[in-house]
Amino acid sequence: MAALRRVDEETAVLFDDASALTRHLEAEAELPRSAPTAKHERTSMSRYLLIESRDPYAGNETGGYAALAGQLKSAGHDVALFLVQNGVLPVRAEARCAELRDAIGARVEVLADEFSLRERGIDAARVLTGVQVAPIALVIERLAAGWKTLWH
């Protein structure tokens, strides 16, 4: 079973695929909002950090994840797609990955882990236009800033 894990809440929630996660987020968005509290302040726009560690050439599941990033962005949320480990493979300028290009076109902030690029022999100067090379420390910064985080 492939699992997407939402780790921004106190209790982690597992999803079988990107479609299940999308349905959950849509249902969550339709819930009536209670008055903000000091602990959980609600805003109309959320910030999502999606972390992808698998390459899109191994199966269909990762393409749905990039599509989810685009859907969240078009719904008005701040979205960053952080690619790590084999997830950096499609950032090569010559790579073919329509879903990643669509996410970039949707103005999703696409980030590639600098260490993962080096480990796979991918020159940071030759990454796809629209992809920023970033350190893994960025994930920690976003977690600390309260971004809703999903890891695949």
Side-chain angles (χ1 to χ4, degrees), residues 55-107:
D55 74 85
Y57 312 115
N60 296 348
E61 298 164 3
T62 56
Y65 208 57
L68 173 62
Q71 291 167 359
L72 289 168
K73 184 67 176 177
S74 66
H77 302 287
D78 285 336
V79 182
L81 177 61
F82 191 89
L83 305 171
V84 65
Q85 298 172 333
N86 283 346
V88 301
L89 293 177
V91 304
R92 296 166 291 148
E94 64 277 0
R96 304 231 189 285
C97 183
E99 296 85 1
L100 182 61
R101 291 175 189 269
D102 289 345
I104 293 168
R107 301 186 56 147

Side-chain angles (χ1 to χ4, degrees), residues 40-141:
H40 295 286
E41 192 170 320
R42 294 271 188 182
T43 61
S44 61
M45 181 174 59
S46 295
R47 297 174 301 171
Y48 290 94
L49 173 63
L50 291 92
I51 303 169
E52 179 59 78
S53 62
R54 301 183 332 180
D55 74 85
Y57 312 115
N60 296 348
E61 298 164 3
T62 56
Y65 208 57
L68 173 62
Q71 291 167 359
L72 289 168
K73 184 67 176 177
S74 66
H77 302 287
D78 285 336
V79 182
L81 177 61
F82 191 89
L83 305 171
V84 65
Q85 298 172 333
N86 283 346
V88 301
L89 293 177
V91 304
R92 296 166 291 148
E94 64 277 0
R96 304 231 189 285
C97 183
E99 296 85 1
L100 182 61
R101 291 175 189 269
D102 289 345
I104 293 168
R107 301 186 56 147
V108 170
E109 179 185 19
V110 179
L111 306 156
D113 174 48
E114 62 187 359
F115 178 77
S116 298
L117 290 170
R118 266 196 325 272
E119 286 293 300
R120 284 150 186 83
I122 300 171
D123 184 358
R126 299 200 56 218
V127 299
L128 191 61
T129 301
V131 175
Q132 298 173 17
V133 177
I136 195 73
L138 181 96
V139 171
I140 305 303
E141 292 169 8

